[in-house]
Amino acid sequence: MEDIIKIPQHVSIIMDGNGRWAQSRGLERLEGHKEGVESVRAALEFAVEMKIKYLSLFAFSTENWGRPTSEVQGLWTLMFKAIEREAKYLIKNRVRVLMLGNLQQIPEDLRMAIQGLMDATADCGGTTLIVMLNYSGKWDLIQAANRFAGENPGKEMTPEDMDRYLVTAGVPDPDLLIRTSGEERISNYMLWQTAYTEFYFTDTLWPDFRKKEFRLALEAYARRDRRYGKV
Ligand code: FPP
């Protein structure tokens, strides 16, 4: 196995393929999401092991509201249970949890549980796990621009202002973005923050994406030459 010599500071993942994983087994889509939660655990454990400072996961996009209510409801329930089940692990392993997105639209009980988890882990100095929830890149840019304009009438916005008004303020831009399941699109994810991000696509479906696949992605990243537009 290759040595991973260059560990990214921030890895972001578009977790895709849960539905196809389930359908190919004749199961309900929600079973794919359930198995996907196990992959979330595996990815987090690996990030902690590798001392990756930030791991962000695209858990629910603003477009996902268009799915059947039973699937959306099922996803909230899965997340609620995961929070209850994992709180101890997170605190023990010094994982700080952030949930970023348009959280106002999230069901009240889940929102309270999320807030509780963020408060309980606020002082944790290990890996930061960022769950992007009811998030989209265009939504983030618009809310940032509107908030900036409201607070700074007549002032022109700079790139640094944008960084400070996006919900990801204070989080370094992703070094590596992984998308599973063979789709090779940004799908309205972090549009501003991925300007210089390295992309890694794999055909592996998210429920099958475990430590071995994560390691392959890090090895591929270590071989890349990032020039940021320079020579
Ligand atoms: C994409 O697969 C996956 C999602 C829209 C949901 C991902 C959410 C989780 C795995 C739960 C996260 C939980 C925590 C605790 C962070 P898809 O349904 O679009 O798959 P398909 O493209 O094959 O239909």
Side-chain angles (χ1 to χ4, degrees):
M1 202 175 282
E2 236 173 284
D3 265 352
I4 301 165
I5 39 158
K6 202 168 55 173
I7 298 294
Q9 188 184 17
H10 181 177
V11 178
S12 195
I13 310 182
I14 301 181
M15 311 178 286
D16 202 0
N18 294 348
R20 276 164 284 164
W21 183 92
Q23 275 157 356
S24 71
R25 285 166 176 73
L27 301 169
E28 295 288 329
R29 293 177 53 84
L30 210 52
E31 293 301 316
H33 296 314
K34 235 186 237 175
E35 201 55 32
V37 174
E38 299 306 315
S39 294
V40 168
R41 179 65 182 301
L44 176 62
E45 278 177 18
F46 189 61
V48 169
E49 249 171 63
M50 301 307 294
K51 299 196 166 45
I52 292 170
K53 204 70 195 124
Y54 296 88
L55 174 69
S56 55
L57 305 173
F58 199 8
F60 193 88
S61 83
T62 54
E63 286 86 12
N64 287 152
W65 290 106
R67 296 186 177 208
T69 317
S70 58
E71 185 174 342
V72 173
Q73 201 53 51
L75 275 168
W76 299 144
T77 306
L78 274 179
M79 288 187 212
F80 191 84
K81 283 189 184 156
I83 289 174
E84 280 192 323
R85 198 183 63 191
E86 303 295 351
K88 248 194 192 152
Y89 167 86
L90 297 167
I91 293 165
K92 186 162 168 261
N93 288 279
R94 310 298 299 148
V95 175
R96 177 171 70 127
V97 179
L98 291 180
M99 305 252 180
L100 303 178
N102 188 355
L103 300 183
Q104 277 140 344
Q105 289 173 1
I106 304 295
E108 176 80 14
D109 54 345
L110 180 60
R111 205 169 62 225
M112 303 274 283
I114 289 170
Q115 197 51 58
L117 189 60
M118 284 172 49
D119 293 345
T121 62
D123 296 329
C124 291
T127 297
T128 297
L129 171 68
I130 306 169
V131 183
M132 305 303 286
L133 210 53
N134 197 22
Y135 179 83
S136 80
K138 288 187 182 182
W139 167 80
D140 199 4
L141 286 161
I142 295 290
Q143 70 77 27
N146 285 336
R147 237 163 16 96
F148 176 84
E151 291 173 19
N152 304 275
K155 198 174 161 230
E156 225 172 80
M157 198 180 202
T158 64
E160 291 72 29
D161 292 325
M162 183 60 91
D163 285 334
R164 284 189 297 112
Y165 278 81
L166 291 169
V167 291
T168 49
V171 175
D173 289 343
D175 301 293
L176 172 64
L177 174 70
I178 299 170
R179 183 166 189 165
T180 58
S181 90
E183 309 291 352
E184 302 188 351
R185 290 186 291 278
I186 189 79
S187 293
N188 201 2
Y189 189 45
M190 296 192 200
L191 298 176
W192 174 272
Q193 300 90 329
T194 52
Y196 288 102
T197 300
E198 294 291 330
F199 287 26
Y200 176 86
F201 301 111
T202 170
D203 288 339
T204 303
L205 304 175
W206 177 248
D208 292 326
F209 189 94
R210 298 289 160 93
K211 289 188 188 185
K212 194 171 136 259
E213 284 75 17
F214 202 160
R215 177 175 278 279
L216 287 176
L218 291 191
E219 286 171 356
Y221 172 80
R223 290 192 294 269
R224 305 263 178 102
D225 178 19
R226 300 179 78 194
R227 290 192 297 274
Y228 301 94
K230 305 186 182 96
V231 287

